[in-house]
Amino acid sequence: MAKKIETIGVLTSGGDAPGMNAAIRAVVRAGISSGLKVVGIRRGYAGLLEEDIIEMDTMSVTDIVQRGGTILYTSRCKEMTTPEGQKRAADICRKHGIDGIVVIGGDGSFRGAQKLSENGINTIGIPGTIDLDIACTEYTIGFDTACNTAMEAIDKVRDTSASHERCSIIEVMGRTAGHIALWCGISNGSEYVLIPERAKEDDEKEIIKKILSKRRIGKKHHIIVNAEGVGDSHAMAKRIEEATGIETRATVIGHIQRGGNPTCRDRVYGSAMGAHAVDLLLEGQTNRVVAYRDGEICHFDIDEALAMSKDIDVHLYSMTKRLSR
Ligand code: ADP
Ligand code: F6P
Protein backbone atom coordinates (compact mmCIF):
# COMPACT_ATOMS: atom_id res chain seq x y z
CA MET A 1 0.00 0.00 0.00
CA ALA A 2 1.24 3.53 -0.82
CA LYS A 3 2.65 5.43 2.16
CA LYS A 4 0.18 7.89 3.70
CA ILE A 5 1.05 11.49 2.82
CA GLU A 6 1.92 13.51 5.94
CA THR A 7 4.05 16.42 4.77
CA ILE A 8 3.80 18.33 1.51
CA GLY A 9 5.93 21.10 0.04
CA VAL A 10 5.09 23.91 -2.34
CA LEU A 11 7.42 25.87 -4.61
CA THR A 12 7.19 28.42 -7.44
CA SER A 13 9.56 28.15 -10.39
CA GLY A 14 10.34 29.98 -13.66
CA GLY A 15 8.83 33.42 -14.32
CA ASP A 16 6.52 34.67 -11.57
CA ALA A 17 2.86 35.31 -12.38
CA PRO A 18 0.12 37.23 -10.56
CA GLY A 19 -2.09 34.70 -8.79
CA MET A 20 0.76 32.44 -7.70
CA ASN A 21 0.28 33.71 -4.14
CA ALA A 22 -3.40 32.72 -4.25
CA ALA A 23 -2.32 29.22 -5.27
CA ILE A 24 0.33 29.03 -2.52
CA ARG A 25 -2.24 30.14 0.05
CA ALA A 26 -4.68 27.49 -1.19
CA VAL A 27 -2.06 24.72 -0.99
CA VAL A 28 -1.14 25.73 2.55
CA ARG A 29 -4.69 26.20 3.83
CA ALA A 30 -6.14 23.13 2.07
CA GLY A 31 -3.19 21.06 3.29
CA ILE A 32 -3.51 22.20 6.89
CA SER A 33 -7.28 21.73 6.90
CA SER A 34 -6.71 18.14 5.71
CA GLY A 35 -4.32 17.49 8.60
CA LEU A 36 -1.09 17.79 6.62
CA LYS A 37 2.11 19.55 7.56
CA VAL A 38 2.99 22.04 4.81
CA VAL A 39 6.43 23.45 4.05
CA GLY A 40 7.37 26.20 1.63
CA ILE A 41 10.43 25.75 -0.55
CA ARG A 42 11.89 29.13 -1.40
CA ARG A 43 13.43 30.15 -4.75
CA GLY A 44 12.15 27.16 -6.73
CA TYR A 45 14.43 24.24 -7.46
CA ALA A 46 17.50 26.32 -6.54
CA GLY A 47 16.10 26.72 -3.02
CA LEU A 48 15.21 23.04 -2.84
CA LEU A 49 18.81 22.11 -3.68
CA GLU A 50 20.02 24.56 -1.02
CA GLU A 51 17.47 23.21 1.48
CA ASP A 52 15.83 26.64 1.80
CA ILE A 53 12.73 25.12 3.35
CA ILE A 54 10.39 26.82 5.80
CA GLU A 55 7.40 25.57 7.73
CA MET A 56 4.13 27.20 6.68
CA ASP A 57 1.19 27.79 8.99
CA THR A 58 -2.13 29.39 8.36
CA MET A 59 -0.79 32.85 9.28
CA SER A 60 2.17 32.58 6.89
CA VAL A 61 -0.22 32.97 3.97
CA THR A 62 -2.44 35.67 5.40
CA ASP A 63 -2.71 38.93 3.45
CA ILE A 64 -1.24 37.48 0.23
CA VAL A 65 -4.22 36.49 -1.93
CA GLN A 66 -4.31 39.99 -3.42
CA ARG A 67 -0.56 40.37 -3.98
CA GLY A 68 1.33 39.88 -7.25
CA GLY A 69 4.66 38.05 -7.40
CA THR A 70 5.36 35.05 -5.20
CA ILE A 71 6.09 35.16 -1.48
CA LEU A 72 8.19 32.01 -1.94
CA TYR A 73 10.42 33.72 -4.53
CA THR A 74 11.27 31.99 -7.78
CA SER A 75 14.30 31.16 -9.88
CA ARG A 76 15.66 29.32 -12.86
CA CYS A 77 18.04 26.54 -11.83
CA LYS A 78 20.47 24.77 -14.16
CA GLU A 79 21.43 22.03 -11.71
CA MET A 80 17.86 20.72 -11.68
CA THR A 81 18.17 19.86 -15.38
CA THR A 82 20.91 17.29 -14.62
CA PRO A 83 20.20 13.71 -13.41
CA GLU A 84 22.52 14.31 -10.42
CA GLY A 85 20.63 17.48 -9.43
CA GLN A 86 17.27 15.73 -9.81
CA LYS A 87 18.34 12.81 -7.61
CA ARG A 88 19.80 15.17 -5.02
CA ALA A 89 16.54 17.17 -5.00
CA ALA A 90 14.53 14.00 -4.33
CA ASP A 91 16.98 12.93 -1.58
CA ILE A 92 16.58 16.36 0.06
CA CYS A 93 12.79 15.92 0.01
CA ARG A 94 13.19 12.53 1.75
CA LYS A 95 15.63 14.04 4.28
CA HIS A 96 13.03 16.67 5.20
CA GLY A 97 10.19 14.14 5.30
CA ILE A 98 8.46 15.73 2.30
CA ASP A 99 6.11 13.12 0.80
CA GLY A 100 4.68 15.25 -1.97
CA ILE A 101 5.41 18.52 -3.74
CA VAL A 102 3.26 21.05 -5.58
CA VAL A 103 5.22 22.84 -8.31
CA ILE A 104 3.71 26.07 -9.59
CA GLY A 105 5.29 27.11 -12.90
CA GLY A 106 5.41 26.48 -16.63
CA ASP A 107 6.45 23.62 -18.90
CA GLY A 108 10.12 23.84 -17.84
CA SER A 109 9.13 23.56 -14.19
CA PHE A 110 6.92 20.56 -15.01
CA ARG A 111 9.94 18.79 -16.51
CA GLY A 112 11.60 19.19 -13.13
CA ALA A 113 8.42 17.91 -11.45
CA GLN A 114 8.42 14.89 -13.77
CA LYS A 115 11.98 14.09 -12.68
CA LEU A 116 11.11 14.42 -8.99
CA SER A 117 8.27 12.01 -9.56
CA GLU A 118 10.59 9.54 -11.36
CA ASN A 119 12.87 9.80 -8.34
CA GLY A 120 10.08 8.75 -5.97
CA ILE A 121 8.55 12.04 -4.77
CA ASN A 122 4.85 12.48 -5.48
CA THR A 123 4.59 15.61 -7.57
CA ILE A 124 1.73 17.73 -8.89
CA GLY A 125 2.17 20.70 -11.26
CA ILE A 126 0.02 23.83 -11.36
CA PRO A 127 0.18 25.96 -14.54
CA GLY A 128 1.58 29.34 -13.54
CA THR A 129 2.70 31.58 -16.38
CA ILE A 130 1.48 34.80 -17.96
CA ASP A 131 2.20 33.30 -21.41
CA LEU A 132 -0.75 30.81 -21.53
CA ASP A 133 1.62 28.51 -23.41
CA ILE A 134 0.81 25.25 -21.58
CA ALA A 135 -0.90 22.94 -24.03
CA CYS A 136 -3.14 20.86 -21.75
CA THR A 137 -4.95 23.83 -20.20
CA GLU A 138 -7.11 26.70 -21.41
CA TYR A 139 -6.11 28.77 -18.38
CA THR A 140 -2.77 29.52 -16.73
CA ILE A 141 -2.32 31.57 -13.57
CA GLY A 142 -1.35 35.16 -14.43
CA PHE A 143 -2.48 35.38 -18.04
CA ASP A 144 -5.66 37.27 -17.19
CA THR A 145 -3.87 39.83 -15.04
CA ALA A 146 -1.06 40.27 -17.57
CA CYS A 147 -3.58 40.87 -20.37
CA ASN A 148 -5.44 43.44 -18.30
CA THR A 149 -2.20 45.21 -17.38
CA ALA A 150 -1.04 45.28 -20.99
CA MET A 151 -4.48 46.40 -22.17
CA GLU A 152 -4.49 49.36 -19.77
CA ALA A 153 -0.94 50.30 -20.80
CA ILE A 154 -1.91 50.21 -24.48
CA ASP A 155 -4.95 52.42 -23.77
CA LYS A 156 -2.53 54.98 -22.36
CA VAL A 157 -0.19 54.73 -25.34
CA ARG A 158 -3.22 55.23 -27.59
CA ASP A 159 -3.98 58.60 -25.94
CA THR A 160 -0.58 60.03 -26.77
CA SER A 161 -0.44 58.30 -30.14
CA ALA A 162 -3.77 59.89 -31.08
CA SER A 163 -2.69 63.35 -29.88
CA HIS A 164 0.42 63.23 -32.07
CA GLU A 165 -1.27 61.44 -34.97
CA ARG A 166 1.33 58.72 -34.78
CA CYS A 167 1.63 55.05 -35.38
CA SER A 168 2.50 52.99 -32.27
CA ILE A 169 4.06 49.56 -32.23
CA ILE A 170 3.46 48.05 -28.80
CA GLU A 171 5.40 44.97 -27.79
CA VAL A 172 3.90 42.57 -25.28
CA MET A 173 5.41 39.51 -23.61
CA GLY A 174 4.67 35.85 -24.32
CA ARG A 175 8.05 34.33 -25.09
CA THR A 176 7.36 32.24 -28.23
CA ALA A 177 3.58 32.43 -27.86
CA GLY A 178 1.20 35.12 -29.10
CA HIS A 179 -1.74 34.71 -26.71
CA ILE A 180 -1.23 37.99 -24.81
CA ALA A 181 -0.76 39.85 -28.10
CA LEU A 182 -3.90 38.34 -29.57
CA TRP A 183 -6.08 39.23 -26.57
CA CYS A 184 -4.66 42.76 -26.45
CA GLY A 185 -5.04 43.09 -30.20
CA ILE A 186 -8.77 42.56 -29.78
CA SER A 187 -9.32 44.39 -26.50
CA ASN A 188 -7.32 47.42 -27.64
CA GLY A 189 -8.87 47.58 -31.11
CA SER A 190 -5.50 47.34 -32.83
CA GLU A 191 -5.10 47.54 -36.57
CA TYR A 192 -2.70 44.63 -36.76
CA VAL A 193 -1.53 41.88 -34.41
CA LEU A 194 1.79 40.19 -34.98
CA ILE A 195 2.15 36.78 -33.35
CA PRO A 196 4.91 34.19 -33.72
CA GLU A 197 2.43 31.42 -34.57
CA ARG A 198 1.31 33.26 -37.72
CA ALA A 199 4.26 35.55 -38.52
CA LYS A 200 4.95 35.81 -42.23
CA GLU A 201 7.49 37.61 -44.37
CA ASP A 202 5.13 40.15 -45.85
CA ASP A 203 3.54 41.20 -42.51
CA GLU A 204 5.32 44.53 -42.57
CA LYS A 205 4.29 45.23 -46.15
CA GLU A 206 0.68 44.54 -45.18
CA ILE A 207 0.94 46.82 -42.15
CA ILE A 208 2.31 49.65 -44.30
CA LYS A 209 -0.43 49.18 -46.89
CA LYS A 210 -3.07 49.16 -44.18
CA ILE A 211 -1.76 52.27 -42.41
CA LEU A 212 -1.68 54.22 -45.67
CA SER A 213 -5.17 53.16 -46.70
CA LYS A 214 -6.55 53.99 -43.22
CA ARG A 215 -4.95 57.44 -43.41
CA ARG A 216 -6.74 57.99 -46.71
CA ILE A 217 -10.09 57.37 -45.05
CA GLY A 218 -9.32 59.71 -42.16
CA LYS A 219 -7.70 57.57 -39.45
CA LYS A 220 -5.26 59.72 -37.49
CA HIS A 221 -3.38 57.16 -35.42
CA HIS A 222 -2.55 53.47 -35.60
CA ILE A 223 -2.02 50.75 -32.99
CA ILE A 224 0.00 47.66 -33.92
CA VAL A 225 0.44 44.98 -31.23
CA ASN A 226 3.61 42.94 -31.61
CA ALA A 227 4.36 39.77 -29.63
CA GLU A 228 7.94 39.72 -28.36
CA GLY A 229 8.60 36.44 -30.16
CA VAL A 230 8.13 38.10 -33.57
CA GLY A 231 11.02 40.54 -33.64
CA ASP A 232 12.49 43.88 -32.63
CA SER A 233 9.75 46.50 -32.33
CA HIS A 234 12.13 49.49 -32.45
CA ALA A 235 13.66 48.39 -35.75
CA MET A 236 10.17 47.71 -37.09
CA ALA A 237 8.99 51.20 -36.06
CA LYS A 238 11.92 52.76 -37.93
CA ARG A 239 11.15 50.83 -41.11
CA ILE A 240 7.43 51.66 -40.93
CA GLU A 241 8.14 55.36 -40.41
CA GLU A 242 10.50 55.39 -43.39
CA ALA A 243 7.97 53.64 -45.61
CA THR A 244 4.88 55.63 -44.59
CA GLY A 245 6.27 59.03 -43.65
CA ILE A 246 4.12 58.77 -40.47
CA GLU A 247 5.89 59.29 -37.14
CA THR A 248 6.13 55.86 -35.52
CA ARG A 249 7.17 54.93 -31.98
CA ALA A 250 7.79 51.58 -30.35
CA THR A 251 6.81 50.85 -26.74
CA VAL A 252 8.01 47.68 -25.05
CA ILE A 253 5.72 47.13 -22.07
CA GLY A 254 8.06 44.60 -20.45
CA HIS A 255 7.97 43.28 -16.90
CA ILE A 256 5.10 45.52 -15.78
CA GLN A 257 2.98 42.74 -17.32
CA ARG A 258 4.27 40.25 -14.75
CA GLY A 259 3.42 42.33 -11.70
CA GLY A 260 0.45 43.87 -9.96
CA ASN A 261 -2.55 42.66 -8.02
CA PRO A 262 -4.07 39.58 -9.62
CA THR A 263 -7.51 39.86 -11.19
CA CYS A 264 -10.48 38.12 -9.61
CA ARG A 265 -10.15 35.28 -12.13
CA ASP A 266 -6.47 34.70 -11.29
CA ARG A 267 -7.25 34.68 -7.57
CA VAL A 268 -10.21 32.30 -7.90
CA TYR A 269 -8.70 29.83 -10.39
CA GLY A 270 -5.31 30.02 -8.68
CA SER A 271 -7.02 29.09 -5.41
CA ALA A 272 -9.06 26.30 -7.02
CA MET A 273 -5.98 24.81 -8.64
CA GLY A 274 -4.00 24.95 -5.39
CA ALA A 275 -6.74 23.14 -3.45
CA HIS A 276 -7.12 20.57 -6.24
CA ALA A 277 -3.39 19.83 -6.22
CA VAL A 278 -3.59 19.02 -2.50
CA ASP A 279 -6.54 16.68 -3.11
CA LEU A 280 -4.52 14.84 -5.76
CA LEU A 281 -1.62 14.39 -3.35
CA LEU A 282 -4.03 13.12 -0.67
CA GLU A 283 -5.30 10.54 -3.20
CA GLY A 284 -1.70 9.36 -3.64
CA GLN A 285 -1.42 10.70 -7.20
CA THR A 286 1.86 11.73 -8.75
CA ASN A 287 3.23 13.10 -12.03
CA ARG A 288 -0.03 15.00 -12.68
CA VAL A 289 -0.62 18.55 -13.83
CA VAL A 290 -3.74 20.46 -12.86
CA ALA A 291 -5.56 22.01 -15.82
CA TYR A 292 -8.72 23.92 -16.73
CA ARG A 293 -10.72 22.64 -19.68
CA ASP A 294 -14.31 23.03 -20.83
CA GLY A 295 -15.26 24.89 -17.66
CA GLU A 296 -13.78 22.40 -15.23
CA ILE A 297 -10.64 21.93 -13.18
CA CYS A 298 -9.14 18.58 -14.19
CA HIS A 299 -5.71 16.94 -14.37
CA PHE A 300 -3.38 15.22 -16.83
CA ASP A 301 -0.38 12.98 -16.69
CA ILE A 302 2.66 15.29 -16.92
CA ASP A 303 4.31 13.21 -19.68
CA GLU A 304 1.14 13.44 -21.78
CA ALA A 305 0.70 17.12 -20.99
CA LEU A 306 4.26 17.90 -22.09
CA ALA A 307 3.77 16.00 -25.35
CA MET A 308 0.70 18.08 -26.31
CA SER A 309 0.94 21.12 -28.55
CA LYS A 310 -1.15 24.25 -28.60
CA ASP A 311 -2.10 26.69 -31.31
CA ILE A 312 -3.51 30.16 -30.78
CA ASP A 313 -7.28 30.50 -30.72
CA VAL A 314 -7.99 30.48 -34.45
CA HIS A 315 -11.46 32.00 -34.07
CA LEU A 316 -10.11 34.96 -32.15
CA TYR A 317 -7.32 35.37 -34.67
CA SER A 318 -9.61 35.44 -37.68
CA MET A 319 -11.89 37.81 -35.80
CA THR A 320 -9.07 40.35 -35.31
CA LYS A 321 -8.60 40.33 -39.06
CA ARG A 322 -12.31 40.94 -39.66
CA LEU A 323 -12.67 43.67 -37.06
CA SER A 324 -9.59 45.65 -38.01
CA ARG A 325 -10.53 46.17 -41.64
P1 ADP B 1 8.83 27.73 -16.94
O1 ADP B 1 8.60 26.79 -15.83
O2 ADP B 1 8.08 29.01 -16.78
O3 ADP B 1 8.66 27.09 -18.31
P2 ADP B 1 11.71 27.62 -17.30
O4 ADP B 1 11.66 26.99 -18.65
O5 ADP B 1 12.69 28.70 -17.06
O6 ADP B 1 10.34 28.24 -16.85
O7 ADP B 1 11.96 26.43 -16.26
C1 ADP B 1 12.03 26.68 -14.87
C2 ADP B 1 12.98 25.72 -14.23
O8 ADP B 1 12.51 24.38 -14.40
C3 ADP B 1 14.38 25.69 -14.82
O9 ADP B 1 15.18 26.74 -14.35
C4 ADP B 1 14.88 24.35 -14.34
O10 ADP B 1 15.29 24.41 -12.99
C5 ADP B 1 13.62 23.49 -14.43
N1 ADP B 1 13.66 22.75 -15.69
C6 ADP B 1 13.52 23.24 -16.94
N2 ADP B 1 13.70 22.26 -17.87
C7 ADP B 1 13.99 21.14 -17.17
C8 ADP B 1 14.30 19.78 -17.54
N3 ADP B 1 14.34 19.41 -18.81
N4 ADP B 1 14.53 18.90 -16.55
C9 ADP B 1 14.47 19.27 -15.25
N5 ADP B 1 14.21 20.52 -14.84
C10 ADP B 1 13.96 21.45 -15.78
O1 F6P C 1 7.49 33.27 -19.21
C1 F6P C 1 7.14 34.51 -18.71
C2 F6P C 1 7.98 35.61 -19.34
O2 F6P C 1 7.60 36.84 -18.79
C3 F6P C 1 7.93 35.66 -20.87
O3 F6P C 1 6.77 36.27 -21.35
C4 F6P C 1 9.19 36.41 -21.17
O4 F6P C 1 9.69 36.09 -22.45
C5 F6P C 1 10.15 35.91 -20.10
O5 F6P C 1 9.35 35.39 -19.05
C6 F6P C 1 11.05 36.98 -19.56
O6 F6P C 1 11.91 36.38 -18.66
P1 F6P C 1 12.87 37.19 -17.68
O7 F6P C 1 12.03 37.68 -16.55
O8 F6P C 1 13.89 36.20 -17.25
O9 F6P C 1 13.42 38.33 -18.45
Side-chain angles (χ1 to χ4, degrees):
M1 211 178 77
K3 182 181 172 288
K4 194 172 160 284
I5 297 268
E6 286 172 6
T7 301
I8 62 169
V10 54
L11 63 82
T12 47
S13 165
D16 64 345
M20 280 184 166
N21 280 329
I24 294 169
R25 172 178 174 272
V27 171
V28 172
R29 295 265 169 97
I32 290 171
S33 66
S34 300
L36 299 173
K37 179 178 163 189
V38 186
V39 296
I41 298 151
R42 296 202 290 197
R43 296 182 296 105
Y45 294 123
L48 176 58
L49 289 166
E50 286 162 25
E51 302 184 47
D52 191 354
I53 299 168
I54 51 170
E55 191 162 341
M56 307 289 280
D57 60 20
T58 193
M59 285 307 287
S60 56
V61 289
T62 195
D63 197 26
I64 68 165
V65 73
Q66 80 287 10
R67 278 165 54 191
T70 159
I71 59 155
L72 289 177
Y73 305 99
T74 185
S75 69
R76 297 193 168 100
C77 167
K78 260 224 167 97
E79 195 187 342
M80 188 62 191
T81 61
T82 66
E84 300 74 34
Q86 293 152 8
K87 186 180 171 303
R88 207 163 72 74
D91 287 341
I92 289 168
C93 288
R94 276 183 280 273
K95 177 178 159 192
H96 288 264
I98 300 171
D99 308 305
I101 287 205
V102 178
V103 171
I104 308 168
D107 275 347
S109 304
F110 296 160
R111 289 184 202 285
Q114 189 183 37
K115 297 299 170 192
L116 279 176
S117 184
E118 278 171 21
N119 280 280
I121 304 300
N122 285 4
T123 313
I124 308 293
I126 294 181
T129 168
I130 63 164
D131 301 335
L132 193 70
D133 60 347
I134 298 176
C136 68
T137 183
E138 292 160 13
Y139 165 84
T140 62
I141 293 173
F143 174 70
D144 191 54
T145 307
C147 282
N148 278 286
T149 302
M151 181 187 75
E152 284 169 19
I154 296 171
D155 283 346
K156 292 184 170 73
V157 175
R158 182 192 277 273
D159 288 345
T160 163
S161 189
S163 305
H164 286 262
E165 300 176 52
R166 282 175 175 160
C167 171
S168 290
I169 317 286
I170 299 146
E171 184 175 309
V172 297
M173 277 186 166
R175 212 185 292 227
T176 54
H179 305 286
I180 298 176
L182 180 55
W183 280 65
C184 287
I186 296 168
S187 60
N188 291 102
S190 75
E191 261 150 273
Y192 209 98
V193 189
L194 288 154
I195 55 173
E197 295 88 340
R198 294 291 185 278
K200 45 188 197 323
E201 240 174 52
D202 61 356
D203 270 329
E204 250 176 69
K205 261 197 206 143
E206 269 186 38
I207 291 172
I208 290 161
K209 219 171 109 196
K210 196 164 197 179
I211 290 174
L212 292 173
S213 75
K214 288 272 177 123
R215 279 275 151 155
R216 279 195 291 273
I217 60 165
K219 188 127 195 351
K220 297 279 193 217
H221 68 278
H222 312 274
I223 301 288
I224 315 295
V225 177
N226 182 33
E228 66 173 336
V230 172
D232 183 349
S233 300
H234 289 282
M236 194 186 297
K238 208 163 167 253
R239 288 191 297 269
I240 289 176
E241 179 167 311
E242 274 164 15
T244 59
I246 295 167
E247 252 193 337
T248 303
R249 295 283 189 271
T251 305
V252 179
I253 302 180
H255 286 81
I256 287 173
Q257 290 160 98
R258 284 240 299 264
N261 299 358
T263 58
C264 182
R265 186 172 159 90
D266 279 327
R267 297 181 200 192
V268 172
Y269 287 13
S271 301
M273 286 186 159
H276 194 64
V278 173
D279 290 341
L280 294 175
L281 285 175
L282 286 166
E283 285 169 17
Q285 305 243 26
T286 186
N287 205 46
R288 310 295 297 180
V289 55
V290 178
Y292 177 86
R293 267 174 93 136
D294 300 326
E296 278 180 34
I297 304 281
C298 53
H299 52 99
F300 289 89
D301 179 81
I302 292 188
D303 303 11
E304 284 171 22
L306 289 172
M308 293 178 191
S309 59
K310 183 180 203 169
D311 194 8
I312 44 124
D313 185 323
V314 289
H315 299 293
L316 288 186
Y317 187 62
S318 59
M319 194 178 79
T320 56
K321 300 246 160 212
R322 261 180 98 191
L323 301 190
S324 63
R325 266 172 218 285

